[in-house]
Amino acid sequence: MRIVRVSLPVPLPQLFDYTSEDATEGDVGRCVRVPFGRGEKSGVIVAIADDSAIEAARLKAVRHVQREVAPLPRDWLELVAFVARYYHAPLGEVIALALPPGLRRADAVSDREADPLLDVGDAGRAALAVPRRPSRALALLRDLVALGVVRHSVVRALPSGDALADALRRGWIVPVRRTNPADAAGELPQLTAEQGAAIDAVLAAGPGFVPWLLQGVTGSGKTEVYLRLAARTLEAGRQVLMLVPEIALTPQLEARVAGRFPSATVISLHSGLAPGARSRGFVQALEGRADIVLGTRLAVFAALPRLGLILVDEEHDASYKQQEGVRYSARDVAVWRARQRDVPIVLGSATPSLESWQHVRVGRYRGLRLSVRAVASTLPAVRRIDTRRARLDEGLSPALQAAIGERLERGEQSLVFINRRGYAPVLSCPSCSWVSPCPHCSANLVVHLADRRLRCHHCGCDSAIPRVCPVCGNQDIQPFGRGTQRIEARLVELFPDARVLRVDRDSARTRKQWEAMLATIAAGEADILVGTQMMAKGHDFPRLTLVGVVGADASLHAADFRAPERLFQQLMQVGGRAGRAHLPGEVLIQTEYPEHPLYRCLVRHDFDAFAARALDERRQAGFPPFTHQAMLRADAPALDDAMKFLAHARRLAQDSAPEGLQVFDVVPMRMTRLARRERAQLLVEAGERALLQEFVGRWICVLRAQRLPRDLRWQLDVDPLEV
Ligand code: ADP
Ligand code: ZN
Ligand code: ZN
């Protein structure tokens, strides 16, 4: 009788012991179904032991060990253990996050879910579902062998459906590769000198762990660098993990990677996939059959036995940090993983995070530079339009209107960038100064004129637009301020012959709609685009030559110390959409603060000057990366409950705070109320990460043992992005 130690998806940090008649060391990393409370739960076996701290009579037996799929490897278990430790999250919750839902359940694989078994086919990419019913599986397999898609070296009869995965793993059945996976399709572009130098530097450093920061201006060909490095990794027979901020925004990249490596198995992993597809991709990666795993932050948890290279595109992007549940940073986890697996990692961006940029400065990361564009001869000219001296028409200056008009005459595209969707951010009454509040949040309801609704962008609640002011009865209530819909409406009036296309989360709700829009733009079937930050990332539209920026000033004065960094990144990214091919690009920024240092750096495309200056300010103010932070947040229906709990947590912290740890005051969050819950926060900070981690580890144990008022929730956020 062996003891099976199981991690379960419950909000408790401990492991659970069970007994098993037949478990062996080889079952570590397998999913298992166990009795729990009155029901059952699925978890992962993290260890096999001979004895337990629980007395034998009280131990229950496991119900089912899932042996159809390869076990999760040791290094994967170490990875999730690290994430649990670093972010102070229960291991079971980290595992639940890291594994696709279909693999988390240790049920017998049903016929419907039997798809992960065999994945071969034309070009090695088309996935093929193999039914578990032996007769059907056999017939299918014979066909595949006859077609030359797979070959098998089994002397005895072909394995039945049950044993297919095993047979594949043992190499009895081998997918036939007609070409080398690294063979690129078609002509490759001649590398620029800088691209060549960057690739040589990475290759010269060898296959071991080196963290690289590839800082390359927009359009400088960072992706080409990734692809060349990926090709070398595939040639060496190893796997590539490539992380991108939002896969819904990057179908172009997916197509480009798959097109470059037609005979490699490229799989995508992101939360938008159907559960079956996500499980199948994960298993392909786990069994070493996927060559390239392309995905959003959760792909950092793909098990990759042959991992040889990690690429993180747009490494500064905030969406790498999960903002709920286990608040991990996929970029930071990726760096840890590269070190663990001793492989190189390339973080790429035109506008690196200040953290990564500082790492290069102090020599922790190595820097690579691409300072010129690969195709366009120059970066776009960035100009400021002083809106204090301009007469705006619905937010649009005459200079911007004229520039759009010129593009129309030349048959080129323009983009008006405004990072606010809806028609107007608020509905207001000029006579009593009522503004439309969200009943559930400390936020205003946004006017959506397209479907005549008031909508909260935080909790989603939505109501009809009232005809009169609900307070004073005034009939003349007005949308106040501007969003994408309003700009769109005015552009349609100003340029009646132009095709105006609005691109935001309302117009591109599904991936299908989004892809259709991208196709419309790429085909030149839109003249003027109005878009939010959805338009800022990664796209390449050859006829887009003008970007007008409207309403950016608001972020200059935001209370969050990271707001200027985000604004600079966003403007540099969106500006980078202009003039990517052979046509010169222009960026016009409407501002009331044309002399602001941020805009002055932007005009010169001088990220380094901006970063150096911003880091100086952070050093003086004692902000990250010069300190390390953890944020404890609490929320409850009543603010007082949240504040009281945090005040108690603060006293506990002060009782055990080591020298060098700073415990701040409890404060309501900036947006205090969200979806009917009141929120408060407590920041702790230290100059040394180890000191902070050691303290938080002890603190959180004490916090977990506290009795909580009903309906109070708390979460800890290590390295919070918003403070
Ligand atoms: P980034 O990711 O740095 O913004 P991309 O990798 O998307 O830039 O490259 C921008 C454009 O330049 C793409 O259309 C790409 O195909 C092209 N490109 C990249 N490298 C080269 C090169 N060496 N020669 C010609 N075209 C290139
Ligand atoms: Zn009123
Ligand atoms: Zn709301």
Side-chain angles (χ1 to χ4, degrees), residues 189-192 195 219-224 256 374-375 540 580:
Q190 178 85 29
L191 294 176
T192 65
Q195 284 174 324
S220 59
K222 293 183 289 295
T223 314
E224 190 60 41
R256 202 164 152 194
V375 182
D540 220 345
R580 303 231 337 151

Side-chain angles (χ1 to χ4, degrees), residues 566-589:
R566 275 199 294 268
L567 177 63
F568 193 90
Q569 287 164 344
Q570 215 167 48
L571 294 185
M572 209 154 162
Q573 295 283 343
V574 75
R577 299 310 115 210
R580 303 231 337 151
H582 297 283
L583 302 168
E586 183 177 25
V587 180
L588 298 178
I589 299 173

Side-chain angles (χ1 to χ4, degrees), residues 429 431-434 469 471-474:
C429 169
S431 85
C432 78
S433 67
W434 170 84
C469 170
V471 172
C472 74
N474 177 12

